[in-house]
Each structure stands twice: as C-alpha cells, then as structure tokens.
Amino acid sequence: MRDISWEAPYCGEGNNCFRIGTDDQGNAYIAVAGAEGAYVTDTREALRTLIREIKAGKADHLL
C-alpha cells in the first residue's frame, strides 16, 4: 500500500465524512473516512482544479 498522509476528515451532516491525502510522488487521494483503502487518486493539480470548480459552483446541481 502507498504511504498516504491523510488530512483530518471533512464532515458534513451526520456521517458524511471525506478525507483528502497526498503522497511524496505528487498524487492526491480522496476517500470516505473509515474506508481509506478504497480511494480515488489523481495528481495534486487535478485535485486543486476539482476544488476550484466546486467552489465556483459547478457542482451545485448535485446538492
């Protein structure tokens, strides 16, 4: 398994918690808290872009 440094969980209401992590190879990871072995991974730049797009409201239709 990769050496992933996970941040503290980001939680919404109830048990809706996600964790973001990084490794020393420049990869970023997103997982459900408690299930960090089943993650989505991409580059750190891809994660930055995703966060910017979400903050810009481009995922509001999912709410």
Side-chain angles (χ1 to χ4, degrees):
M1 179 168 230
R2 297 175 181 181
D3 189 20
I4 303 169
S5 296
W6 293 102
E7 298 288 330
Y10 297 94
C11 299
E13 296 178 21
N15 293 327
N16 301 322
C17 298
F18 292 91
R19 295 189 77 184
I20 295 175
T22 56
D23 67 18
D24 60 356
Q25 300 296 309
N27 299 305
Y29 301 82
I30 300 174
V32 173
E36 288 81 358
Y39 50 77
V40 175
T41 185
D42 208 324
T43 64
R44 289 181 186 178
E45 185 55 37
L47 178 60
R48 282 186 201 101
T49 300
L50 174 65
I51 292 169
R52 285 185 194 119
E53 297 292 316
I54 290 170
K55 288 173 102 177
K58 293 189 178 180
D60 286 357
H61 64 283
L62 299 172
L63 302 176

